[in-house]
Amino acid sequence: MHDLPQALTNGPQQPLGAGGVTAHVCGTALHMFDTFGREKIYGHDLDQPLAQDEQDRKVLALLGQRYIPPGIPSRDAHEETQAAACRRRLVEAVEKTLHGLDTEGGRTPTVLGADGTAREREAAFRAHVRAERPVVSVCFTGSLRRWLSTGDPQATSIAVTTYLPGRPLYAAQVTAATALLSDCSGSWRLTLKDGWLAMTGEPAVAEEDPNYIVLPHSMTDSASRMRRHYPEPLFPYDTSSAVAQAVLGGKVPVAFHLTEPVLNSAIIPVATGHGMIVLFLDSGEVLEKPWDASRYMFKAVTGEQSFGDFIIARDLWAARRIRRILTAEAHAAEDLDPLAVPDDLDDDFGFDLNDA
C-alpha cells in the first residue's frame, strides 16, 4: 500500500482525520479492483481463502456434477451472485483496513455498502451523522457485473463518503484504475503505479475536444438530436466513472449527471475540488468551491434538502450551453435556440460575446 501524503495524515503520530480514512479506503478499493481483474485471467487469488460456496463448487466439479444447471437464467443468476460476492469482499477488505486505525474521536468508522438498497444505506448513514458516529459509505455506481464481464472501464466505480463528527464530509471517487479525493483544503489522485499525486495549482487537464459530451446511458435515445451539438456524445453505463476519466482525466469538456441517491454522487465535490464548474440544471446556480459542494452534500445526506441534477464542465460557458440544450430537449414545443448565447453571460466574462 502506498504511503499517504503528509497532508492526509494530520501530521506524524496524530490520529487520522476524514481525509486519511478516505485515503485508506481508496487504496484498499484500488487494490481489490486489481485483484478482481487478475482473478478474471488467472483464477482466484491464492492469497484469498475460498468462501464456503466456492469450496462446494470445487467439490462438485471433482465429482463430475454440474454446479450450474444448463440454461441462461441459471447462468445469469450465477453472474449476479459473483458480482455480489465481489462487492462484499471489497467492503469487507475496507472494514479490515480501517479496523484498529487511530482515528479522530478514537472510534472505528462503520462501513456501509455490502447490505441493503441505496436508500436503506442512505438512511443508515443519516442516522450515524445525526448520532455523531463516524461512518464511511462505499457505494458501487454503474454495474460491477458489466465491468467483471467486459472490462469496460466506464462500467462501474465507487463513490466514497466519509463522516467524522465535527468535520466536513470527505468525498472520493474510485475507478478500476484511479482514485480521486477532494476536500476543502486540497485534492489528490492515486494510482497503483504512481502512488499519490497532489493536484496543486491550476487543474492539470488536457486541452478540451469540443466534439464530446458525457451523458447518462438512459439518454441514449437522444443521440441523434445531441449530435447536432456534439458530434460524438458518450453514453456510459456509469456517469461518475466517465466524469473521472474523460472530463477530469481526459479532454471531454462537459458532462451531465442525473439525480442519484446522494451517497452515489461523491463525484460532485470531487469535481469541484479538481477545478471543475458544477452547475445545477434547474436553477443554473453554480457550486464554485469544494466547501460549497461538501456543505450541499451534507445537507442532502441529513435530509435538509433534496439532491438535484448537475452539469460538470471545465468552464462556465460550456456548462451554460449544455444547460440550454438540455432545457430545449425537455421543452421541445417551446421556441428555444439551444445555441444562443445566454443573456447573462456577458457580465460573467466581462465583454460582449456578440461583438466577437
Side-chain angles (χ1 to χ4, degrees):
M1 193 76 67
H2 296 284
D3 292 335
L4 301 187
Q6 185 173 356
L8 294 174
T9 63
N10 276 359
Q13 309 302 318
Q14 294 298 315
L16 289 176
V21 169
T22 307
H24 276 288
V25 173
C26 289
T28 300
L30 270 182
H31 172 75
M32 292 305 294
F33 266 129
D34 182 63
T35 298
F36 298 154
R38 286 187 286 108
E39 287 177 0
K40 288 189 296 182
I41 301 174
Y42 302 110
H44 195 283
D45 190 338
L46 295 179
D47 294 333
Q48 293 284 343
L50 291 176
Q52 185 61 51
D53 62 335
E54 294 171 314
Q55 295 179 38
D56 293 342
R57 282 199 294 273
K58 288 186 176 294
V59 171
L60 290 169
L62 290 173
L63 294 175
Q65 301 179 34
R66 295 186 61 134
Y67 180 77
I68 303 171
I72 294 177
S74 297
R75 185 67 198 180
D76 182 71
H78 171 72
E79 295 299 335
E80 290 291 346
T81 300
Q82 290 289 89
C86 286
R87 282 193 292 269
R88 183 169 293 279
R89 283 175 59 193
L90 190 146
V91 172
E92 289 174 350
V94 168
E95 291 175 332
K96 183 177 179 180
T97 296
L98 297 185
H99 182 72
L101 281 182
D102 185 16
T103 61
E104 290 182 354
R107 292 179 290 178
T108 299
T110 299
V111 181
L112 305 175
D115 302 307
T117 66
R119 295 298 181 188
E120 290 169 342
R121 291 192 296 271
E122 186 174 316
F125 193 97
R126 181 179 299 121
H128 278 79
V129 171
R130 289 177 175 174
E132 297 189 350
R133 297 190 300 263
V135 60
V136 176
S137 169
V138 179
C139 284
F140 286 83
T141 60
S143 171
L144 179 60
R145 173 183 170 177
R146 182 177 179 84
W147 178 77
L148 289 168
S149 297
T150 69
D152 178 1
Q154 296 183 357
T156 192
S157 61
I158 299 173
V160 180
T161 311
T162 301
Y163 167 75
L164 295 186
R167 300 293 183 181
L169 288 182
Y170 204 107
Q173 197 74 35
V174 185
T175 72
T178 308
L180 300 172
L181 290 77
S182 179
D183 69 354
C184 299
S185 61
S187 56
W188 293 265
R189 183 171 296 174
L190 170 66
T191 64
L192 291 180
K193 178 182 178 181
D194 299 322
W196 291 98
L197 174 65
M199 310 303 289
T200 58
E202 291 297 321
V205 294
E207 184 178 352
E208 66 183 43
D209 184 338
N211 272 17
Y212 294 93
I213 183 174
V214 170
L215 296 167
H217 189 73
S218 60
M219 292 180 63
T220 304
D221 59 354
S222 68
S224 60
R225 298 189 300 275
M226 294 304 299
R227 287 193 182 100
R228 294 179 298 169
H229 316 295
Y230 299 90
E232 297 190 53
L234 306 174
F235 299 93
Y237 281 83
D238 178 32
T239 306
S240 294
S241 178
V243 169
Q245 296 175 63
V247 181
L248 276 65
K251 302 178 71 173
V252 176
V254 64
F256 176 45
H257 192 280
L258 278 175
T259 294
E260 290 186 346
V262 61
L263 295 178
N264 287 23
S265 302
I267 193 65
I268 302 303
V270 168
T272 59
H274 284 76
M276 300 294 114
I277 294 290
V278 175
L279 181 144
F280 292 90
L281 177 66
D282 290 339
S283 66
E285 295 181 7
V286 176
L287 289 174
E288 296 188 36
K289 302 296 182 181
W291 47 87
D292 294 329
S294 177
R295 187 182 304 111
Y296 181 83
M297 195 169 182
F298 181 85
K299 290 182 177 180
V301 164
T302 56
E304 296 180 45
Q305 62 189 29
S306 60
F307 206 62
D309 298 337
F310 295 92
I311 294 165
I312 301 171
R314 291 166 174 245
D315 58 67
L316 187 59
W317 187 90
R320 289 187 168 174
R321 176 176 183 244
I322 187 56
R323 178 172 180 259
R324 289 179 68 88
I325 291 172
L326 293 171
T327 301
E329 291 292 336
H331 304 90
E334 298 180 19
D335 185 18
L336 295 176
D337 179 5
L339 297 182
V341 177
D343 294 336
D344 58 347
L345 203 60
D346 297 344
D347 292 339
D348 291 315
F349 288 89
F351 60 88
D352 187 348
L353 293 180
N354 292 320
D355 291 339

